[in-house]
Amino acid sequence: MQLVINGQSREVSAESLAELLVELQLDTSHVAVELNQAIVESSQFATTALNENDRLEVIQFVGGG
Amino acid sequence: MQLYVNENLVEVGNDSSLTDLRALYKPTADLLIVNGYPVADSHRLAAGDRVVLISRGEVPTETELETLLVARHTPGVHARVKQARVGIAGVGGLGSAIAVALTRLGVGELIVADFDVVEPSNLNRQQYFVDQLGMPKVAALAENLRRINPYVSVISHVVRLTRENIPTLFAEVDVMVEAFDAAAQKALLVESFLSNVPDRPLVAASGMAGFGPANTIQTRRAGNNLYLVGDEVSAAAPGSGLMAPRVGIAAHHQANCVLRLLLGEDPLGE
């Protein structure tokens, strides 16, 4: 399906948020995800279904501060 | 004519000099400030001037100090930030520098939390001193902030921040700052704060290690109420250390983002 991820349209095969993070090869413990302007708690990644044209902000943090 | 001496309205003769004022109000004063600028005692006074007389080593009163801060700020800034409460999660390289900047702005209240103590390796970038080694960072920070502006209220928590206590400790902030070191902690803070306090902006940071170009560190909007500072790629790792310049640049991006949010300005100028 088609999603908008960080402002870019993208065709993905994932159907849940957890699957999407795997598809994007991201470390789930280092990401924060906003789905249609609401933060998704990491405990909900597996059960959060994605829908056509969902807008996501996926922030991948790197260490240092 | 009427003018202000140490914030009190006084009536003085029209030809009064600064020397007269000092003799009358504070003979021990050795720092003479008129309308925010240090001047010599031969300076000519005018009606409405704000004169502050300070003796070396003496801490000005809250009103005096704030008047002097306001003189260097852009007009209107101080009154707004004085009412504000800002939360800072983590007071290492980012958080300690952000706290110093916000204290110099005169932000009314800072809520800071960190479980760590000051270690020698911190001194390459963090706002601590060699005589503070071993102290809890929040205690050392509170001490340092008091030396800058004792009238900023600093609420310190020596605590490891968790999914559970983050929303409680920072429930009442106007703006929240993520200033952790570990990537997983950064993600946890963003998730925990924004899922529980979604109407308050959060300013986070990611990617400021090494000595890459300064201008790759940016502030962007990364979510509905989330601003992200950094180059987003330069992780702290063996061979790419955290050093004062880029960590300081990122910290001050965050501090300026906080200031713009408190002033009701879009952080990106959009």
Side-chain angles (χ1 to χ4, degrees):
Chain A
M1 80 184 105
Q2 196 79 12
L3 301 175
V4 181
I5 303 173
N6 297 349
Q8 307 281 325
S9 281
R10 183 159 177 159
E11 183 68 32
V12 303
S13 56
E15 294 183 352
S16 73
L17 190 46
E19 288 168 14
L20 177 69
L21 296 175
V22 171
E23 191 172 331
L24 297 176
Q25 298 184 307
L26 296 176
D27 178 342
T28 54
S29 69
H30 293 183
V31 298
V33 181
E34 202 180 79
L35 172 61
N36 300 325
Q37 303 212 331
I39 285 281
V40 183
E41 297 198 46
S42 52
S43 58
Q44 308 298 313
F45 285 174
T47 54
T48 300
L50 297 173
N51 296 297
E52 191 74 26
N53 296 323
D54 273 347
R55 298 185 74 88
L56 293 115
E57 294 292 334
V58 180
I59 301 114
Q60 160 89 54
F61 284 97
V62 300
Chain B
M1 63 181 170
Q2 290 193 320
L3 43 71
Y4 294 87
V5 178
N6 291 5
E7 286 312 293
N8 296 308
L9 188 61
V10 299
E11 177 77 42
V12 298
N14 280 347
D15 52 354
S16 289
S17 70
L18 202 47
T19 311
D20 300 334
L21 240 55
R22 172 165 57 184
L24 205 52
Y25 293 100
K26 188 174 267 192
T28 58
D30 36 30
L31 183 57
L32 315 172
I33 297 166
V34 177
N35 301 330
Y37 290 85
V39 295
D41 52 11
S42 59
H43 181 88
R44 289 181 66 90
L45 293 170
D49 276 351
R50 288 180 178 269
V51 179
V52 180
L53 306 171
I54 296 173
S55 303
R56 218 175 291 285
E58 178 187 78
V59 178
T61 67
E62 182 167 6
T63 317
E64 288 167 1
L65 184 63
E66 293 191 343
T67 304
L68 298 172
L69 287 175
V70 167
R72 279 296 187 286
H73 284 6
T74 305
V77 166
H78 186 259
R80 298 283 288 275
V81 301
K82 174 82 180 153
Q83 307 303 320
R85 180 185 290 124
V86 177
I88 304 176
V91 292
L94 294 169
S96 63
I98 294 163
V100 166
L102 298 181
T103 297
R104 292 192 191 283
L105 279 170
V107 167
E109 184 172 301
L110 300 177
I111 302 176
V112 298
D114 199 307
F115 66 90
D116 218 351
V117 298
V118 181
E119 293 174 33
S121 64
N122 300 152
L123 299 182
N124 85 328
R125 68 188 186 285
Q126 305 187 16
Q127 300 301 312
Y128 300 107
F129 299 95
V130 75
D131 57 9
Q132 294 178 318
L133 295 176
M135 282 179 78
K137 284 183 180 175
V138 294
L141 182 63
E143 181 178 283
N144 297 341
L145 300 180
R146 258 197 312 278
R147 292 179 64 195
I148 295 168
N149 181 345
Y151 307 111
V152 168
S153 165
V154 180
I155 313 287
S156 304
H157 299 285
V158 184
V159 66
R160 187 180 285 275
L161 290 169
T162 64
R163 201 180 298 281
E164 289 72 34
N165 65 16
I166 288 165
T168 312
L169 291 176
F170 300 110
E172 305 292 333
V173 300
D174 297 302
V175 179
M176 185 64 206
V177 176
E178 178 283 307
F180 284 134
D181 185 41
Q185 285 287 103
K186 290 171 176 291
L188 176 97
L189 187 287
V190 170
E191 174 194 320
S192 174
F193 183 79
L194 286 180
S195 57
N196 288 283
V197 195
D199 60 331
R200 295 300 153 98
L202 169 61
V203 183
S206 179
M208 76 294 300
F211 50 82
N215 288 350
T216 55
I217 292 174
Q218 297 188 330
T219 304
R220 74 172 177 98
R221 190 168 184 184
N224 192 33
N225 235 344
L226 175 62
Y227 296 89
L228 186 62
V229 165
D231 66 16
E232 299 185 49
V233 292
S234 299
S240 180
L242 290 163
M243 291 169 285
R246 287 187 104 228
V247 174
I249 290 164
H252 288 87
H253 263 263
Q254 287 184 280
N256 196 52
C257 187
V258 170
L259 175 59
R260 289 185 62 84
L261 288 163
L262 293 178
L263 296 176
E265 301 282 336
D266 184 286
L268 310 179
E270 288 169 356

